[in-house]
Amino acid sequence: MLAVTSAFTSGAALVAPTAHASRASVQMGIIDGVKNLLGKKQDFLEAEPYWDQSTIPVNTYKNKAPFTGKIVSTKRIVGPEATGETCDIVIGHEGKMPYWEGQSYGVIPPGTNPKNGKPNSVRLYSIASSRYGDDMTGTTTTLCVRRATYWCPELKADDPAKKGVCSNYLCDSKPGDDVKLTGPSGKVMLIPEKDPNVDLIMVATGTGIAPYRSFIRRLFVEKTPFGEAYTKGTGQAWLFLGVANSDALLYDDEWQEVLKKYPDNFRLDYALSREQKNKDGGKMYIQDKVAEYSDEIFSKMDNGAHMYFCGLKGMMPGITEMLEGVCKDKGLVWEDKLSEWKKAGQWHVEVY
Ligand code: FAD
């Protein structure tokens, strides 16, 4: 019943942004909200036309005046043998903090920084849900957060005094807890929705999966105008995910569902560094898996594909070194290729 109320409100709020909205238009909004809730369509948070990015919300809430959201759920989403802990965290924003797929939220953890006595500073997290949220009401946001721990070589154990402030706060949060949010921010990882046939090559390590989950929900799970166009078209969304082992895979059940439904439009490859071997017999890192398909990837890029990278900073040197090698084999100059892709807006990197 709670969900009905929120979809209702968010649908209505969109047609009544000013005090002048007529009663009829408010009623239409309510009807739209209910239609959306019934699973027929997700269209109450679309731009007009839907690919127009000129109205993307940016920094609606700033550090000095953050929005206070509420934790809806916090779930560990990795198996027992995973390296570290990763949680899926759903936060309620009452429809007041809309965002687009590919953007991030800031989280201000409570407390002060002992190093300078000032309030803790903001940390950014890529949004892992589509603009409609996982419950499709347009009132929640999902984050995918890895708990940062500090392994002390002297103690030969985790040192809790040096654990990451914000990730631990989020992974320990409970439903109903308040959470201070800033943003949404970022325009680097948006989807070029104008072309429903665009190939999207999405490369992630660990929590770098977050923006792609938002893309994939928009493309294949929800009935959005872009999803409808994309699944009728020839575009392919190709996800590469690198993690340590199969217990550390993120949202695998969701990808398997999409693969079953859209085998032509969706493609999935995993690099499991501690379980698989690369062609030289070493650990299978993300760049090794991408390298297996380098010819196909280059030809897709030459045909206008967009390539995305998200996850730990450390992934990029391996990736660029690999692509440089591929260029050399093809008689191409890597720097020229990269600047060509960047100039055409086909190259998207968000690493941390
Ligand atoms: P901090 O408290 O900032 O500490 C940082 C690191 O230092 C930790 O590993 C901590 O253990 C270690 N440390 C602390 N004290 C010491 C000490 N005395 N000596 C040595 N080491 C110490 N993260 C995600 O999990 N998911 C995302 O989707 C995500 N998206 C991001 C998107 C962007 C655009 C950016 C920029 C970052 C993103 N991050 C994401 C990273 C995130 O913002 C935080 O940096 C991360 O969660 C760690 O923050 P923290 O407050 O937990 O750690």
Side-chain angles (χ1 to χ4, degrees):
M1 202 54 218
L2 189 68
V4 174
T5 319
S6 37
F8 207 78
T9 329
S10 62
L14 268 159
V15 292
T18 69
H20 308 293
S22 73
R23 205 170 152 173
S25 70
V26 171
Q27 278 169 352
M28 278 307 292
I30 290 169
I31 292 164
D32 285 348
V34 171
K35 267 195 203 155
N36 288 319
L37 187 74
L38 293 175
K40 291 215 175 72
K41 240 179 183 181
Q42 277 78 48
D43 62 2
F44 60 94
L45 293 174
E46 300 299 321
E48 185 54 48
Y50 66 83
W51 60 78
D52 178 7
Q53 299 182 340
S54 62
T55 57
I56 292 180
V58 177
N59 292 327
T60 315
Y61 295 92
K62 301 185 178 58
N63 292 1
K64 288 198 172 143
F67 179 78
T68 303
K70 275 214 187 302
I71 299 287
V72 175
S73 65
T74 303
K75 273 187 305 197
R76 177 186 164 106
I77 53 166
V78 288
E81 301 301 322
T83 46
E85 179 167 56
T86 304
C87 294
D88 171 285
I89 297 162
V90 180
I91 303 171
H93 64 77
E94 302 169 37
K96 292 178 182 162
M97 208 170 159
Y99 56 88
W100 280 38
E101 298 74 16
Q103 290 194 294
S104 301
Y105 266 7
V107 174
I108 304 175
T112 48
N113 180 347
K115 282 185 197 146
N116 58 18
K118 290 188 181 158
N120 277 321
S121 56
V122 69
R123 270 74 164 177
L124 293 178
Y125 293 92
S126 310
I127 295 172
S129 49
S130 81
R131 67 190 73 182
Y132 294 97
D134 291 349
D135 63 357
M136 303 193 187
T137 60
T139 63
T140 69
T141 305
T142 303
L143 305 181
C144 176
V145 179
R146 182 185 166 97
R147 189 189 284 278
T149 53
Y150 180 80
W151 176 260
C152 175
E154 282 152 34
L155 293 172
K156 291 198 170 56
D158 278 343
D159 181 349
K162 294 179 181 171
K163 66 185 185 185
V165 172
C166 194
S167 58
N168 280 272
Y169 156 68
L170 286 170
C171 292
D172 290 335
S173 63
K174 302 272 175 299
D177 287 355
D178 284 346
V179 52
K180 282 191 181 154
L181 303 168
T182 66
S185 63
K187 286 188 169 184
V188 171
M189 300 290 282
L190 301 175
I191 317 177
E193 297 197 355
K194 195 162 184 186
D195 176 8
N197 296 312
V198 67
D199 282 329
L200 304 169
I201 305 166
M202 307 169 280
V203 184
T205 56
T207 54
I209 195 73
Y212 310 140
R213 183 172 183 267
S214 77
F215 291 12
I216 292 166
R217 289 186 67 82
R218 179 158 179 83
L219 286 166
F220 302 117
V221 179
E222 303 173 350
K223 293 196 176 74
T224 61
F226 181 53
E228 276 176 21
Y230 198 78
T231 49
K232 282 185 201 136
T234 56
Q236 188 182 60
W238 190 355
L239 174 64
F240 288 91
L241 171 62
V243 291
N245 57 27
S246 25
D247 262 20
L249 283 173
L250 299 167
Y251 304 106
D252 174 59
D253 49 343
E254 297 187 15
W255 315 142
Q256 299 306 330
E257 277 299 304
V258 175
L259 264 184
K260 252 191 261 163
K261 271 196 176 154
Y262 299 102
D264 298 330
N265 289 121
F266 182 58
R267 193 162 165 185
L268 174 66
D269 276 282
Y270 287 145
L272 305 174
S273 60
R274 299 195 186 176
E275 287 178 13
Q276 299 169 334
K277 294 261 178 279
N278 65 21
K279 68 175 177 27
D280 302 319
K283 287 185 176 179
M284 175 70 85
Y285 290 115
I286 190 76
Q287 64 270 23
D288 303 317
K289 186 47 78 180
V290 175
E292 289 180 11
Y293 302 96
S294 54
D295 283 342
E296 212 175 331
I297 287 171
F298 268 66
S299 86
K300 277 178 183 285
M301 290 299 280
D302 283 341
N303 286 318
H306 283 237
M307 197 162 185
Y308 296 81
F309 300 91
C310 190
L312 292 180
K313 261 193 209 100
M315 71 191 277
M316 287 318 284
I319 291 274
T320 46
E321 198 180 304
M322 179 275 293
L323 292 173
E324 195 172 351
V326 176
C327 275
K328 220 180 243 165
D329 293 346
K330 290 180 182 293
L332 300 167
V333 178
W334 164 239
E335 287 74 16
D336 295 348
K337 218 21 160 179
L338 180 62
S339 67
E340 180 190 316
W341 290 343
K342 279 185 177 168
K343 220 165 148 194
Q346 293 170 263
W347 184 257
H348 309 257
V349 181
E350 191 158 87
V351 290
Y352 39 85

